């Protein structure tokens, strides 16, 4: 079956099997930041944004994404300049091994677009579906809080 997927603003015409998952199609199209890990919606490594909302591409049929805007972490950097979320993750050491970071970055992007000044508790809730085996989450939470502080939001107290 043929379908069109809009990924990071680019339209792809792609042949898929009806039961094919979005994760597999995105990786076949070259979006390697979308990572396979658990295959059962429990780790968040395959997170992409569908119309700005985080979804797990390992459990989303590719056909369901037709007519929607898909964003992968490749969309964040523009002309060699990292997105503030990527910069902040690097500044706080939140990137660690990097395997889970695309999912964290996209979840953080969605959170900050919906709530520009999240509390630490709201950040923890938003990141609840993203597993990191390296950091213990503190550096990723600090990264998101740093963005809020740089924007003049919540105080550092």
């Amino acid at each position: 079956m043929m379908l069109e997927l809009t990924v990071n603003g680019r339209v792809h015409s792609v042949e898929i099997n009806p039961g094919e998952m979005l994760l597999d199609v995105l990786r076949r199209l070259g979006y390697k930041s979308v990572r396979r890990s658990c295959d059962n919606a429990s780790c968040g490594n395959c997170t992409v944004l569908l119309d700005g909302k985080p979804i797990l591409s390992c459990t989303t049929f590719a056909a369901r994404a037709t007519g929607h805007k898909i964003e992968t972490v490749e969309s964040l950097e523009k002309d060699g300049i990292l997105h503030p979320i990527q910069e902040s993750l690097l500044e706080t050491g939140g990137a660690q091994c990097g395997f889970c970071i695309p999912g964290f970055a996209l979840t953080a992007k969605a959170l900050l677009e919906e709530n520009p000044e999240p509390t630490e508790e709201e950040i923890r809730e938003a990141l609840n579906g993203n597993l990191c085996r390296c950091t213990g989450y503190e550096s990723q939470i600090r990264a998101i809080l740093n963005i809020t502080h740089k924007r003049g939001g919540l105080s550092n107290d």
Side-chain angles (χ1 to χ4, degrees):
M1 111 188 244
M2 281 297 288
L3 58 84
E4 286 191 347
L5 294 176
T6 304
V7 184
N8 301 336
R10 182 173 170 209
V11 178
H12 298 272
S13 294
V14 61
E15 177 84 28
I16 67 159
N17 294 318
E20 198 167 2
M21 294 300 163
L22 184 57
L23 165 68
D24 298 311
V25 174
L26 290 172
R27 289 193 59 84
R28 192 159 27 103
L29 290 172
Y31 298 98
K32 302 299 185 189
S33 70
V34 187
R35 305 242 166 88
R36 175 180 307 284
S37 187
C38 70
D39 262 344
N40 62 17
S42 62
C43 74
N45 283 331
C46 66
T47 299
V48 297
L49 300 182
L50 190 70
D51 296 332
K53 303 288 184 198
I55 65 159
L56 301 172
S57 63
C58 74
T59 56
T60 301
F61 290 114
R64 182 176 170 257
T66 300
H68 298 279
K69 294 190 307 187
I70 303 163
E71 287 180 74
T72 69
V73 82
E74 285 91 345
S75 72
L76 298 182
E77 173 267 328
K78 302 283 186 215
D79 300 323
I81 299 172
L82 295 178
H83 189 280
I85 293 168
Q86 294 169 308
E87 285 286 342
S88 194
L89 284 165
L90 290 174
E91 288 171 10
T92 62
Q96 292 285 320
C97 80
F99 191 81
C100 65
I101 290 308
F104 271 98
L106 291 171
T107 301
K109 181 178 187 271
L111 169 66
L112 291 170
E113 286 179 358
E114 185 176 307
N115 179 1
E117 294 186 20
T119 64
E120 184 173 331
E121 184 178 328
E122 291 168 329
I123 294 168
R124 288 183 185 279
E125 178 67 28
L127 298 179
N128 191 23
N130 295 81
L131 295 181
C132 175
R133 291 170 178 88
C134 300
T135 65
Y137 309 97
E138 296 305 318
S139 53
Q140 289 96 351
I141 291 166
R142 236 183 4 262
I144 297 170
L145 285 171
N146 281 348
I147 293 170
T148 300
H149 298 303
K150 286 179 182 177
R151 290 177 174 169
L154 303 171
S155 71
N156 279 324
D157 299 334

